[in-house]
Amino acid sequence: MKIKLPVTLYQRILSILSFLLLIGQLLCLILRWNSLPNEIPTHFGLNGQADAYGPKGSLVILPVITVLIYLLMIFVEKFPEFWNVPGHVTPQNIGWIYGNMKSMLVTLRFAVTFIFFYLNYCSVFCLDLGAWFTPVFLLLTAGPMVFFIWRAVHFNK
């Protein structure tokens, strides 16, 4: 059974912001390429400090991974009939449950795109991530999943 989900304003705004972050990441790398030092940070420790360095060519992997994750998440969003959703699905709540899960995917796509944009930005400008990065990263990735799954399980209709 094919499930057609409408796009909400929330989903549209986050999709646009995700796309802009993706383009921004690519532009940041392209525009700064010639002024990059030959050795740039390639790994950051839990404290947000760069702890490994490598050639500037290694920066290309960040946008490639971002684009692949971005496209994979869009692909998954297009086929809700294959999702295994939490909560009790009935004919009355199917639209809400699947719409909620689509919002989760869109939110996660935005979070992942933002995280990779920030990693790319810090690497391109040879900055440390900051000690706050690890907890914020965990919150941005786990938070939406916990929130939207909780909503689906506790939805009463």
Side-chain angles (χ1 to χ4, degrees), residues 9-80:
L9 179 61
Y10 172 80
Q11 294 166 357
R12 188 177 313 277
I13 289 170
L14 281 188
S15 291
I16 291 168
L17 291 174
S18 298
F19 181 74
L20 291 175
L21 284 169
L22 182 66
I23 296 302
Q25 181 182 5
L26 295 169
L27 284 176
C28 182
L29 184 59
I30 291 167
L31 295 175
R32 290 273 304 160
W33 186 260
N34 290 331
S35 61
L36 284 173
N38 288 332
E39 191 173 75
I40 50 96
T42 57
H43 188 269
F44 299 89
L46 288 177
N47 63 357
Q49 304 277 324
D51 60 7
Y53 294 85
K56 71 179 183 179
S58 62
L59 274 179
V60 174
I61 195 74
L62 287 173
V64 169
I65 291 171
T66 309
V67 168
L68 291 174
I69 292 172
Y70 183 90
L71 293 174
L72 177 64
M73 292 185 83
I74 286 177
F75 179 77
V76 169
E77 286 172 32
K78 300 294 180 197
F79 299 99

Side-chain angles (χ1 to χ4, degrees), residues 64-154:
V64 169
I65 291 171
T66 309
V67 168
L68 291 174
I69 292 172
Y70 183 90
L71 293 174
L72 177 64
M73 292 185 83
I74 286 177
F75 179 77
V76 169
E77 286 172 32
K78 300 294 180 197
F79 299 99
E81 58 272 9
F82 296 114
W83 300 349
N84 186 8
V85 297
H88 183 66
V89 179
T90 66
Q92 293 79 23
N93 73 5
I94 190 168
W96 188 90
I97 292 283
Y98 279 89
N100 182 59
M101 289 297 100
K102 182 175 180 180
S103 290
M104 181 184 76
L105 289 170
V106 169
T107 304
L108 285 171
R109 180 167 29 108
F110 171 75
V112 167
T113 308
F114 174 78
I115 290 164
F116 274 91
F117 172 86
Y118 185 72
L119 285 168
N120 183 72
Y121 180 85
C122 288
S123 293
V124 164
F125 288 97
C126 297
L127 303 171
D128 288 330
L129 295 177
W132 56 269
F133 179 78
T134 300
V136 169
F137 165 79
L138 293 171
L139 183 64
L140 285 175
T141 52
M145 289 187 283
V146 170
F147 174 74
F148 287 104
I149 291 171
W150 180 87
R151 279 180 75 196
V153 170
H154 291 87

